[in-house]
Amino acid sequence: MGNVFGGGEKSLYLSNGGTEVFINVLMLAVSDLAQEEWDYRFAALLTLQDQNVMGRGAVGFDLQDIAWGTTPRERARSKDFVLRATALALSGHRWSELGYDPPLVRDHLHRFIAMVESFAPADAAHPAGGFPGPDDRATASCAQHRILSALPHWEGCFLCTRPGQP
């Protein structure tokens, strides 16, 4: 069982382990780049992909379910944020904090970039789907790891809650 991340005509199917690594490296990058409300909403979407909380094989999202913005400028800015965060993740940003080497994630990130680049966000302000609203954005940051998380709802960031942590 795995998870699907979709976008228009393209999709990225990842094993449970592949999903975990993919989301983890994206969260490291998103946590360091987030500045605007939309960025924190995207971070919240990523926190909802934590299989240690949500369940194995029970996560994934489709780009068309994201509220990219109501104006062409907002949609372009949101898409640019996702591309910049993914490029930062691809650079190996903060991977040393993972405690393992994730070489297979590079291909996943390249495929995700291609999917986002080819995706044309709809102009709908509130598409159907599970994109977190402004009140649900990830504004809490784990003090120990400096990673945005679903605190106070969960006990910590993905590094705090990974199996085997004290």
Side-chain angles (χ1 to χ4, degrees):
M1 182 176 263
N3 307 284
V4 178
F5 299 88
E9 298 293 317
K10 299 182 179 195
S11 64
L12 177 62
Y13 175 83
L14 299 175
S15 67
N16 290 326
T19 298
E20 183 173 349
V21 175
F22 176 70
I23 295 300
N24 289 353
V25 299
L26 278 176
M27 277 307 299
L28 291 169
V30 166
S31 293
D32 285 354
L33 290 179
Q35 295 180 341
E36 303 288 331
E37 178 183 288
W38 190 93
D39 308 346
Y40 291 99
R41 292 174 66 195
F42 185 74
L45 176 67
L46 294 180
T47 66
L48 294 172
Q49 311 311 307
D50 186 339
Q51 296 176 101
N52 292 321
V53 177
M54 303 302 285
R56 305 298 259 173
V59 300
F61 58 81
D62 196 298
L63 297 177
Q64 67 187 10
D65 294 333
I66 293 174
W68 293 93
T70 57
T71 67
R73 183 179 179 150
E74 287 174 345
R75 290 189 295 275
R77 192 248 172 235
S78 299
K79 186 174 177 177
D80 180 66
F81 175 78
V82 173
L83 291 171
R84 284 186 301 113
T86 308
L88 183 60
L90 186 57
S91 76
H93 180 71
R94 295 179 62 184
W95 286 11
S96 61
E97 297 175 46
L98 296 172
Y100 58 86
D101 180 35
L104 299 178
V105 78
R106 290 184 190 280
D107 177 59
H108 303 151
L109 292 167
H110 279 296
R111 291 173 48 207
F112 187 67
I113 287 171
M115 187 168 61
V116 173
E117 285 177 338
S118 68
F119 180 75
D123 59 4
H126 303 288
F131 192 66
D135 293 338
D136 299 320
R137 64 191 186 274
T139 56
S141 180
C142 170
Q144 180 179 358
H145 298 110
R146 303 168 339 275
I147 297 172
L148 292 170
S149 68
L151 292 168
H153 305 292
W154 298 342
E155 295 183 21
C157 71
F158 72 85
L159 289 176
C160 293
T161 60
R162 68 182 162 188
Q165 292 302 301

Short mmCIF file of all heavy atoms in Angstrom, two decimals, residues 71-127:
data_model
loop_
_atom_site.label_atom_id
_atom_site.label_comp_id
_atom_site.label_asym_id
_atom_site.label_seq_id
_atom_site.Cartn_x
_atom_site.Cartn_y
_atom_site.Cartn_z
N THR A 71 -6.35 35.37 -7.30
CA THR A 71 -5.88 36.19 -8.42
C THR A 71 -4.71 35.49 -9.10
O THR A 71 -4.03 34.64 -8.49
CB THR A 71 -5.40 37.57 -7.93
OG1 THR A 71 -4.22 37.40 -7.13
CG2 THR A 71 -6.48 38.29 -7.13
N PRO A 72 -4.44 35.82 -10.36
CA PRO A 72 -3.28 35.23 -11.03
C PRO A 72 -1.98 35.46 -10.25
O PRO A 72 -1.13 34.58 -10.17
CB PRO A 72 -3.25 35.92 -12.39
CG PRO A 72 -4.67 36.31 -12.64
CD PRO A 72 -5.22 36.66 -11.27
N ARG A 73 -1.86 36.62 -9.65
CA ARG A 73 -0.63 36.93 -8.88
C ARG A 73 -0.51 36.02 -7.66
O ARG A 73 0.57 35.51 -7.36
CB ARG A 73 -0.65 38.40 -8.47
CG ARG A 73 0.59 38.82 -7.74
CD ARG A 73 0.52 40.29 -7.39
NE ARG A 73 1.72 40.66 -6.67
CZ ARG A 73 2.25 41.84 -6.70
NH1 ARG A 73 1.71 42.79 -7.42
NH2 ARG A 73 3.34 42.10 -5.99
N GLU A 74 -1.61 35.83 -6.92
CA GLU A 74 -1.59 34.94 -5.75
C GLU A 74 -1.27 33.50 -6.15
O GLU A 74 -0.47 32.84 -5.49
CB GLU A 74 -2.95 34.97 -5.03
CG GLU A 74 -3.22 36.23 -4.28
CD GLU A 74 -4.63 36.26 -3.70
OE1 GLU A 74 -5.50 35.44 -4.11
OE2 GLU A 74 -4.88 37.11 -2.82
N ARG A 75 -1.90 33.05 -7.24
CA ARG A 75 -1.65 31.67 -7.69
C ARG A 75 -0.19 31.49 -8.11
O ARG A 75 0.44 30.49 -7.78
CB ARG A 75 -2.61 31.31 -8.81
CG ARG A 75 -4.05 31.17 -8.32
CD ARG A 75 -4.98 30.60 -9.38
NE ARG A 75 -5.15 31.46 -10.54
CZ ARG A 75 -6.02 32.46 -10.64
NH1 ARG A 75 -6.82 32.74 -9.62
NH2 ARG A 75 -6.12 33.16 -11.74
N ALA A 76 0.36 32.47 -8.79
CA ALA A 76 1.76 32.39 -9.22
C ALA A 76 2.70 32.41 -8.02
O ALA A 76 3.67 31.65 -7.97
CB ALA A 76 2.10 33.55 -10.17
N ARG A 77 2.39 33.23 -7.04
CA ARG A 77 3.23 33.31 -5.84
C ARG A 77 3.18 32.00 -5.05
O ARG A 77 4.19 31.50 -4.58
CB ARG A 77 2.76 34.48 -4.95
CG ARG A 77 3.75 34.80 -3.84
CD ARG A 77 3.13 34.43 -2.50
NE ARG A 77 4.14 34.56 -1.46
CZ ARG A 77 4.44 33.57 -0.64
NH1 ARG A 77 3.87 32.42 -0.72
NH2 ARG A 77 5.35 33.74 0.28
N SER A 78 1.99 31.41 -4.93
CA SER A 78 1.85 30.15 -4.20
C SER A 78 2.60 29.03 -4.90
O SER A 78 3.31 28.24 -4.27
CB SER A 78 0.36 29.78 -4.07
OG SER A 78 -0.34 30.77 -3.34
N LYS A 79 2.45 28.96 -6.22
CA LYS A 79 3.14 27.93 -7.00
C LYS A 79 4.65 28.12 -6.89
O LYS A 79 5.40 27.16 -6.72
CB LYS A 79 2.68 28.00 -8.46
CG LYS A 79 3.22 26.89 -9.32
CD LYS A 79 2.57 26.97 -10.71
CE LYS A 79 3.13 25.93 -11.64
NZ LYS A 79 2.46 25.96 -12.96
N ASP A 80 5.11 29.37 -6.94
CA ASP A 80 6.53 29.66 -6.81
C ASP A 80 7.05 29.20 -5.44
O ASP A 80 8.16 28.67 -5.34
CB ASP A 80 6.80 31.15 -7.01
CG ASP A 80 8.27 31.48 -6.86
OD1 ASP A 80 9.07 31.02 -7.70
OD2 ASP A 80 8.63 32.20 -5.89
N PHE A 81 6.26 29.40 -4.39
CA PHE A 81 6.68 28.95 -3.06
C PHE A 81 6.90 27.44 -3.04
O PHE A 81 7.91 26.96 -2.53
CB PHE A 81 5.67 29.35 -1.98
CG PHE A 81 6.02 28.79 -0.63
CD1 PHE A 81 7.02 29.38 0.14
CD2 PHE A 81 5.40 27.64 -0.15
CE1 PHE A 81 7.38 28.84 1.36
CE2 PHE A 81 5.76 27.10 1.08
CZ PHE A 81 6.75 27.70 1.84
N VAL A 82 5.95 26.69 -3.59
CA VAL A 82 6.08 25.22 -3.61
C VAL A 82 7.32 24.82 -4.41
O VAL A 82 8.08 23.94 -3.99
CB VAL A 82 4.80 24.56 -4.17
CG1 VAL A 82 5.00 23.06 -4.34
CG2 VAL A 82 3.61 24.85 -3.26
N LEU A 83 7.55 25.46 -5.54
CA LEU A 83 8.73 25.13 -6.35
C LEU A 83 10.03 25.49 -5.64
O LEU A 83 11.00 24.73 -5.69
CB LEU A 83 8.63 25.81 -7.71
CG LEU A 83 7.54 25.27 -8.63
CD1 LEU A 83 7.38 26.16 -9.86
CD2 LEU A 83 7.84 23.82 -9.03
N ARG A 84 10.07 26.66 -4.98
CA ARG A 84 11.28 27.05 -4.25
C ARG A 84 11.55 26.10 -3.08
O ARG A 84 12.70 25.70 -2.84
CB ARG A 84 11.17 28.48 -3.73
CG ARG A 84 11.34 29.55 -4.78
CD ARG A 84 11.37 30.97 -4.22
NE ARG A 84 10.15 31.33 -3.49
CZ ARG A 84 10.10 31.56 -2.18
NH1 ARG A 84 11.19 31.52 -1.44
NH2 ARG A 84 8.95 31.89 -1.59
N ALA A 85 10.50 25.73 -2.37
CA ALA A 85 10.67 24.81 -1.24
C ALA A 85 11.14 23.44 -1.72
O ALA A 85 12.02 22.82 -1.10
CB ALA A 85 9.36 24.68 -0.46
N THR A 86 10.58 22.98 -2.83
CA THR A 86 10.98 21.67 -3.35
C THR A 86 12.42 21.72 -3.85
O THR A 86 13.19 20.78 -3.63
CB THR A 86 10.01 21.22 -4.46
OG1 THR A 86 8.67 21.30 -3.97
CG2 THR A 86 10.30 19.79 -4.88
N ALA A 87 12.81 22.81 -4.50
CA ALA A 87 14.20 22.96 -4.95
C ALA A 87 15.15 23.01 -3.76
O ALA A 87 16.24 22.43 -3.80
CB ALA A 87 14.35 24.21 -5.81
N LEU A 88 14.75 23.69 -2.69
CA LEU A 88 15.59 23.73 -1.49
C LEU A 88 15.72 22.34 -0.89
O LEU A 88 16.81 21.93 -0.50
CB LEU A 88 15.01 24.72 -0.47
CG LEU A 88 15.82 24.92 0.81
CD1 LEU A 88 17.22 25.46 0.50
CD2 LEU A 88 15.07 25.87 1.76
N ALA A 89 14.62 21.60 -0.84
CA ALA A 89 14.68 20.22 -0.34
C ALA A 89 15.61 19.39 -1.21
O ALA A 89 16.43 18.61 -0.69
CB ALA A 89 13.28 19.61 -0.31
N LEU A 90 15.52 19.55 -2.51
CA LEU A 90 16.35 18.80 -3.45
C LEU A 90 17.84 19.10 -3.26
O LEU A 90 18.69 18.25 -3.51
CB LEU A 90 15.92 19.13 -4.88
CG LEU A 90 16.56 18.35 -6.01
CD1 LEU A 90 16.35 16.85 -5.85
CD2 LEU A 90 15.98 18.82 -7.34
N SER A 91 18.16 20.27 -2.75
CA SER A 91 19.56 20.64 -2.53
C SER A 91 20.18 19.91 -1.34
O SER A 91 21.38 20.04 -1.09
CB SER A 91 19.67 22.16 -2.32
OG SER A 91 19.24 22.52 -1.01
N GLY A 92 19.36 19.17 -0.60
CA GLY A 92 19.86 18.46 0.58
C GLY A 92 19.78 19.29 1.85
O GLY A 92 20.40 18.96 2.86
N HIS A 93 18.99 20.34 1.80
CA HIS A 93 18.84 21.27 2.93
C HIS A 93 18.43 20.54 4.21
O HIS A 93 17.38 19.93 4.26
CB HIS A 93 17.81 22.33 2.55
CG HIS A 93 17.55 23.34 3.60
ND1 HIS A 93 18.47 24.32 3.94
CD2 HIS A 93 16.49 23.54 4.41
CE1 HIS A 93 17.97 25.08 4.89
NE2 HIS A 93 16.76 24.62 5.21
N ARG A 94 19.28 20.59 5.21
CA ARG A 94 19.05 20.05 6.56
C ARG A 94 18.90 18.52 6.60
O ARG A 94 18.45 17.98 7.60
CB ARG A 94 17.84 20.72 7.21
CG ARG A 94 18.03 22.20 7.46
CD ARG A 94 16.82 22.88 8.08
NE ARG A 94 16.50 22.31 9.40
CZ ARG A 94 15.44 22.68 10.11
NH1 ARG A 94 14.61 23.61 9.65
NH2 ARG A 94 15.22 22.13 11.28
N TRP A 95 19.28 17.83 5.53
CA TRP A 95 19.15 16.37 5.52
C TRP A 95 19.97 15.72 6.62
O TRP A 95 19.64 14.63 7.07
CB TRP A 95 19.54 15.80 4.17
CG TRP A 95 18.54 16.03 3.08
CD1 TRP A 95 17.45 16.86 3.11
CD2 TRP A 95 18.54 15.45 1.79
NE1 TRP A 95 16.78 16.82 1.91
CE2 TRP A 95 17.43 15.97 1.07
CE3 TRP A 95 19.39 14.55 1.15
CZ2 TRP A 95 17.14 15.59 -0.23
CZ3 TRP A 95 19.09 14.18 -0.16
CH2 TRP A 95 17.98 14.70 -0.83
N SER A 96 21.02 16.37 7.06
CA SER A 96 21.85 15.79 8.13
C SER A 96 21.05 15.57 9.41
O SER A 96 21.40 14.73 10.23
CB SER A 96 23.07 16.68 8.41
OG SER A 96 22.63 17.97 8.85
N GLU A 97 19.96 16.31 9.57
CA GLU A 97 19.11 16.16 10.76
C GLU A 97 18.24 14.92 10.72
O GLU A 97 17.66 14.52 11.74
CB GLU A 97 18.24 17.40 10.94
CG GLU A 97 19.04 18.66 11.18
CD GLU A 97 18.18 19.90 11.22
OE1 GLU A 97 17.13 19.86 11.91
OE2 GLU A 97 18.54 20.89 10.58
N LEU A 98 18.11 14.30 9.56
CA LEU A 98 17.26 13.13 9.42
C LEU A 98 17.84 11.89 10.11
O LEU A 98 17.10 11.01 10.53
CB LEU A 98 17.01 12.81 7.94
CG LEU A 98 16.24 13.86 7.15
CD1 LEU A 98 16.23 13.50 5.67
CD2 LEU A 98 14.82 13.99 7.68
N GLY A 99 19.15 11.80 10.16
CA GLY A 99 19.78 10.63 10.76
C GLY A 99 19.94 9.48 9.77
O GLY A 99 20.29 8.36 10.16
N TYR A 100 19.68 9.73 8.50
CA TYR A 100 19.85 8.71 7.46
C TYR A 100 20.05 9.42 6.13
O TYR A 100 19.77 10.61 6.00
CB TYR A 100 18.64 7.76 7.39
CG TYR A 100 17.33 8.46 7.12
CD1 TYR A 100 16.90 8.74 5.82
CD2 TYR A 100 16.50 8.85 8.17
CE1 TYR A 100 15.71 9.38 5.58
CE2 TYR A 100 15.29 9.50 7.94
CZ TYR A 100 14.90 9.75 6.64
OH TYR A 100 13.71 10.40 6.41
N ASP A 101 20.53 8.69 5.13
CA ASP A 101 20.73 9.26 3.80
C ASP A 101 19.54 8.88 2.93
O ASP A 101 19.27 7.69 2.76
CB ASP A 101 22.03 8.71 3.20
CG ASP A 101 22.29 9.25 1.82
OD1 ASP A 101 21.96 10.42 1.55
OD2 ASP A 101 22.83 8.50 0.98
N PRO A 102 18.82 9.86 2.38
CA PRO A 102 17.64 9.57 1.56
C PRO A 102 17.88 9.71 0.05
O PRO A 102 17.28 10.59 -0.59
CB PRO A 102 16.65 10.62 2.05
CG PRO A 102 17.52 11.80 2.34
CD PRO A 102 18.83 11.24 2.83
N PRO A 103 18.74 8.89 -0.57
CA PRO A 103 19.08 9.12 -1.97
C PRO A 103 17.90 8.96 -2.94
O PRO A 103 17.86 9.62 -3.97
CB PRO A 103 20.16 8.08 -2.25
CG PRO A 103 19.87 6.98 -1.28
CD PRO A 103 19.36 7.67 -0.04
N LEU A 104 16.93 8.12 -2.65
CA LEU A 104 15.82 7.90 -3.58
C LEU A 104 14.87 9.08 -3.65
O LEU A 104 14.13 9.23 -4.62
CB LEU A 104 15.05 6.64 -3.19
CG LEU A 104 15.85 5.34 -3.22
CD1 LEU A 104 14.98 4.17 -2.76
CD2 LEU A 104 16.42 5.08 -4.60
N VAL A 105 14.89 9.94 -2.63
CA VAL A 105 13.96 11.06 -2.61
C VAL A 105 14.27 12.08 -3.70
O VAL A 105 13.39 12.83 -4.12
CB VAL A 105 13.91 11.72 -1.21
CG1 VAL A 105 15.11 12.62 -0.98
CG2 VAL A 105 12.62 12.50 -1.02
N ARG A 106 15.49 12.11 -4.19
CA ARG A 106 15.84 13.07 -5.26
C ARG A 106 14.95 12.87 -6.48
O ARG A 106 14.44 13.84 -7.06
CB ARG A 106 17.31 12.96 -5.63
CG ARG A 106 18.24 13.47 -4.55
CD ARG A 106 19.70 13.44 -5.02
NE ARG A 106 20.59 13.70 -3.92
CZ ARG A 106 20.86 14.91 -3.44
NH1 ARG A 106 20.30 15.96 -3.99
NH2 ARG A 106 21.70 15.07 -2.44
N ASP A 107 14.75 11.61 -6.88
CA ASP A 107 13.88 11.33 -8.02
C ASP A 107 12.45 11.77 -7.73
O ASP A 107 11.79 12.36 -8.58
CB ASP A 107 13.91 9.84 -8.36
CG ASP A 107 12.96 9.51 -9.50
OD1 ASP A 107 13.13 10.08 -10.61
OD2 ASP A 107 12.03 8.69 -9.28
N HIS A 108 11.96 11.51 -6.52
CA HIS A 108 10.60 11.91 -6.14
C HIS A 108 10.45 13.43 -6.21
O HIS A 108 9.44 13.94 -6.68
CB HIS A 108 10.25 11.42 -4.74
CG HIS A 108 10.38 9.93 -4.59
ND1 HIS A 108 10.70 9.34 -3.40
CD2 HIS A 108 10.26 8.92 -5.48
CE1 HIS A 108 10.77 8.04 -3.55
NE2 HIS A 108 10.50 7.77 -4.81
N LEU A 109 11.45 14.15 -5.72
CA LEU A 109 11.40 15.61 -5.74
C LEU A 109 11.44 16.15 -7.17
O LEU A 109 10.71 17.09 -7.51
CB LEU A 109 12.54 16.20 -4.91
CG LEU A 109 12.44 15.95 -3.40
CD1 LEU A 109 13.75 16.29 -2.70
CD2 LEU A 109 11.28 16.72 -2.78
N HIS A 110 12.27 15.55 -8.03
CA HIS A 110 12.32 15.96 -9.44
C HIS A 110 10.95 15.74 -10.09
O HIS A 110 10.48 16.60 -10.84
CB HIS A 110 13.38 15.18 -10.21
CG HIS A 110 14.77 15.70 -10.05
ND1 HIS A 110 15.17 16.94 -10.48
CD2 HIS A 110 15.86 15.13 -9.48
CE1 HIS A 110 16.45 17.13 -10.19
NE2 HIS A 110 16.89 16.04 -9.58
N ARG A 111 10.33 14.61 -9.82
CA ARG A 111 9.02 14.31 -10.39
C ARG A 111 7.95 15.25 -9.85
O ARG A 111 7.05 15.67 -10.58
CB ARG A 111 8.67 12.84 -10.16
CG ARG A 111 9.59 11.93 -10.98
CD ARG A 111 9.46 10.44 -10.70
NE ARG A 111 8.09 9.98 -10.68
CZ ARG A 111 7.69 8.92 -9.98
NH1 ARG A 111 8.54 8.23 -9.26
NH2 ARG A 111 6.43 8.55 -10.01
N PHE A 112 8.05 15.60 -8.58
CA PHE A 112 7.09 16.54 -7.99
C PHE A 112 7.25 17.93 -8.61
O PHE A 112 6.27 18.60 -8.92
CB PHE A 112 7.26 16.59 -6.47
CG PHE A 112 6.22 17.41 -5.76
CD1 PHE A 112 4.89 17.01 -5.73
CD2 PHE A 112 6.56 18.59 -5.12
CE1 PHE A 112 3.92 17.76 -5.07
CE2 PHE A 112 5.61 19.34 -4.45
CZ PHE A 112 4.28 18.93 -4.44
N ILE A 113 8.49 18.36 -8.80
CA ILE A 113 8.75 19.65 -9.45
C ILE A 113 8.11 19.67 -10.84
O ILE A 113 7.43 20.63 -11.21
CB ILE A 113 10.26 19.96 -9.52
CG1 ILE A 113 10.78 20.33 -8.13
CG2 ILE A 113 10.55 21.07 -10.53
CD1 ILE A 113 12.30 20.45 -8.04
N ALA A 114 8.32 18.60 -11.61
CA ALA A 114 7.75 18.54 -12.96
C ALA A 114 6.22 18.59 -12.90
O ALA A 114 5.58 19.24 -13.73
CB ALA A 114 8.21 17.27 -13.68
N MET A 115 5.65 17.93 -11.91
CA MET A 115 4.20 17.93 -11.76
C MET A 115 3.68 19.33 -11.42
O MET A 115 2.71 19.81 -12.01
CB MET A 115 3.80 16.93 -10.66
CG MET A 115 2.33 16.71 -10.51
SD MET A 115 1.90 15.31 -9.45
CE MET A 115 2.62 15.78 -7.90
N VAL A 116 4.35 20.00 -10.48
CA VAL A 116 3.93 21.35 -10.08
C VAL A 116 4.13 22.33 -11.24
O VAL A 116 3.26 23.17 -11.51
CB VAL A 116 4.66 21.82 -8.81
CG1 VAL A 116 4.36 23.28 -8.49
CG2 VAL A 116 4.31 20.92 -7.62
N GLU A 117 5.26 22.24 -11.93
CA GLU A 117 5.53 23.15 -13.05
C GLU A 117 4.48 23.03 -14.14
O GLU A 117 4.06 24.04 -14.72
CB GLU A 117 6.91 22.89 -13.63
CG GLU A 117 8.04 23.40 -12.78
CD GLU A 117 9.42 23.06 -13.34
OE1 GLU A 117 9.57 22.11 -14.13
OE2 GLU A 117 10.37 23.76 -12.95
N SER A 118 4.02 21.83 -14.42
CA SER A 118 3.05 21.63 -15.50
C SER A 118 1.61 21.86 -15.05
O SER A 118 0.70 21.92 -15.88
CB SER A 118 3.18 20.22 -16.08
OG SER A 118 2.76 19.25 -15.15
N PHE A 119 1.39 22.04 -13.75
CA PHE A 119 0.05 22.20 -13.21
C PHE A 119 -0.40 23.66 -13.33
O PHE A 119 0.32 24.58 -13.00
CB PHE A 119 0.01 21.78 -11.74
CG PHE A 119 -1.33 21.90 -11.10
CD1 PHE A 119 -2.33 20.99 -11.38
CD2 PHE A 119 -1.61 22.95 -10.24
CE1 PHE A 119 -3.57 21.10 -10.80
CE2 PHE A 119 -2.85 23.08 -9.66
CZ PHE A 119 -3.84 22.15 -9.94
N ALA A 120 -1.63 23.85 -13.82
CA ALA A 120 -2.21 25.19 -13.91
C ALA A 120 -3.26 25.32 -12.82
O ALA A 120 -4.35 24.74 -12.93
CB ALA A 120 -2.84 25.39 -15.28
N PRO A 121 -2.96 26.05 -11.74
CA PRO A 121 -3.93 26.20 -10.65
C PRO A 121 -5.23 26.83 -11.13
O PRO A 121 -5.22 27.77 -11.92
CB PRO A 121 -3.23 27.13 -9.66
CG PRO A 121 -1.78 27.00 -9.97
CD PRO A 121 -1.71 26.75 -11.46
N ALA A 122 -6.32 26.29 -10.65
CA ALA A 122 -7.65 26.82 -11.00
C ALA A 122 -7.85 28.15 -10.30
O ALA A 122 -7.22 28.44 -9.28
CB ALA A 122 -8.72 25.83 -10.58
N ASP A 123 -8.76 28.94 -10.83
CA ASP A 123 -9.01 30.23 -10.21
C ASP A 123 -10.07 30.17 -9.12
O ASP A 123 -10.48 31.19 -8.59
CB ASP A 123 -9.38 31.27 -11.26
CG ASP A 123 -10.61 30.89 -12.06
OD1 ASP A 123 -11.24 29.85 -11.76
OD2 ASP A 123 -10.95 31.64 -12.99
N ALA A 124 -10.51 28.98 -8.77
CA ALA A 124 -11.50 28.84 -7.70
C ALA A 124 -10.88 29.22 -6.36
O ALA A 124 -9.78 28.79 -6.03
CB ALA A 124 -12.02 27.41 -7.64
N ALA A 125 -11.58 30.01 -5.60
CA ALA A 125 -11.08 30.45 -4.30
C ALA A 125 -11.08 29.33 -3.28
O ALA A 125 -10.21 29.25 -2.44
CB ALA A 125 -11.91 31.62 -3.79
N HIS A 126 -12.07 28.46 -3.35
CA HIS A 126 -12.21 27.39 -2.36
C HIS A 126 -12.54 26.07 -3.04
O HIS A 126 -13.70 25.65 -3.04
CB HIS A 126 -13.29 27.75 -1.34
CG HIS A 126 -13.04 29.04 -0.64
ND1 HIS A 126 -12.05 29.19 0.30
CD2 HIS A 126 -13.63 30.25 -0.76
CE1 HIS A 126 -12.04 30.44 0.74
NE2 HIS A 126 -12.98 31.10 0.10
N PRO A 127 -11.56 25.41 -3.64
CA PRO A 127 -11.85 24.14 -4.29
C PRO A 127 -12.23 23.08 -3.25
O PRO A 127 -11.92 23.21 -2.07
CB PRO A 127 -10.52 23.78 -4.97
CG PRO A 127 -9.48 24.47 -4.15
CD PRO A 127 -10.14 25.73 -3.66
#
